[in-house]
């Protein structure tokens, strides 16, 4: 069974716990995908080109630093994921995260995708109708295989008041 885990730097532990539930299968292969979303940088660059009238495509030293920082951050996140999934394949992509995850799952021939509902940079996970972010929603709707949505445990918020 091939399990594609969508890591974002905050969810390695919860994905690892969920993956351990699937260990009844004899042979598991894990892939860790991380996508560098370059769209924000491209939007900033388009605004800069209008203001500074630089030729399109010319990389400034600041742009090169940003690319290097994105690459270094991606490597750190994948390395953290390898602590939770030793021996996993690392798959670094660049582009729109929702599309890259779906395409990666198809190309890698994943049997199941593990994904968190939204990146949670501190605080409690959001519950309710807007708790699933646009990336997870797109993956749920377009994945070529089953998707396991993995929420972090929030035992302290339950039971809900009646």
């Amino acid at each position: 069974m091939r399990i594609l885990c969508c890591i974002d730097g905050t969810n390695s532990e919860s994905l690892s716990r969920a993956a351990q539930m699937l260990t009844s299968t004899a042979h598991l292969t894990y892939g860790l995908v991380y996508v560098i979303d370059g769209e924000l940088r491209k939007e900033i660059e388009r605004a800069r080109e209008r203001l500074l009238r630089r030729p399109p495509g010319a990389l400034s030293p600041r742009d090169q630093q940003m690319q290097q920082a994105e690459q270094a951050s991606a490597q750190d996140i994948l390395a953290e994921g390898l602590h939770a999934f030793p021996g996993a394949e690392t798959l670094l992509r660049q582009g729109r995260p929702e599309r890259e995850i779906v395409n990666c799952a198809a190309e890698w021939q994943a049997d199941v995708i593990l994904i968190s509902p939204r990146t949670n940079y501190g605080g409690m996970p959001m519950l309710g109708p807007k708790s699933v972010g646009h990336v997870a929603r797109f993956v749920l709707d377009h994945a070529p295989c089953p998707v396991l949505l993995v929420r972090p445990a929030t035992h302290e918020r339950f039971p809900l008041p009646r």
Side-chain angles (χ1 to χ4, degrees):
M1 175 180 267
R2 295 172 64 82
I3 301 172
L4 183 65
C5 303
C6 305
I7 61 172
D8 61 15
T10 65
N11 63 350
S12 295
E13 282 185 36
S14 57
L15 291 180
S16 177
R17 280 193 300 272
Q20 289 173 0
M21 293 180 212
L22 303 172
T23 57
S24 62
T25 305
H27 180 67
L28 296 175
T29 302
Y30 292 106
L32 304 177
V33 64
Y34 179 76
V35 181
I36 297 172
D37 186 357
E39 288 300 311
L40 295 174
R41 191 169 22 87
K42 288 178 188 174
E43 288 177 21
I44 292 170
E45 185 58 33
R46 282 191 290 271
R48 251 193 237 157
E49 285 172 4
R50 284 192 303 257
L51 295 173
L52 301 177
R53 305 196 190 270
R54 260 193 343 214
L59 286 180
S60 70
R62 171 91 48 193
D63 294 330
Q64 291 172 349
Q65 288 175 337
M66 288 171 57
Q67 284 181 341
Q68 290 170 352
E70 288 172 344
Q71 290 291 328
S73 176
Q75 293 304 323
D76 289 346
I77 290 169
L78 287 170
E80 179 186 332
L82 284 172
H83 288 295
F85 297 94
E89 278 183 60
T90 57
L91 307 157
L92 179 59
R93 298 293 183 99
Q94 192 158 359
R96 306 224 16 120
E98 58 275 17
R99 294 186 183 281
E100 291 299 324
I101 291 168
V102 169
N103 290 337
C104 183
E107 292 166 11
W108 195 69
Q109 299 177 341
D111 294 310
V112 66
I113 298 172
L114 270 59
I115 191 168
S116 294
R118 88 172 37 245
T119 302
N120 184 13
Y121 295 110
M124 297 299 290
M126 199 165 119
L127 299 175
K130 295 188 182 216
S131 64
V132 177
H134 73 279
V135 173
R137 171 62 51 207
F138 187 92
V139 172
L140 287 168
D141 291 342
H142 297 90
C145 59
V147 178
L148 178 60
L149 190 66
V150 179
R151 290 187 186 282
T154 58
H155 298 294
E156 59 276 355
R157 293 187 70 183
F158 293 96
L160 295 174
R162 296 176 191 212

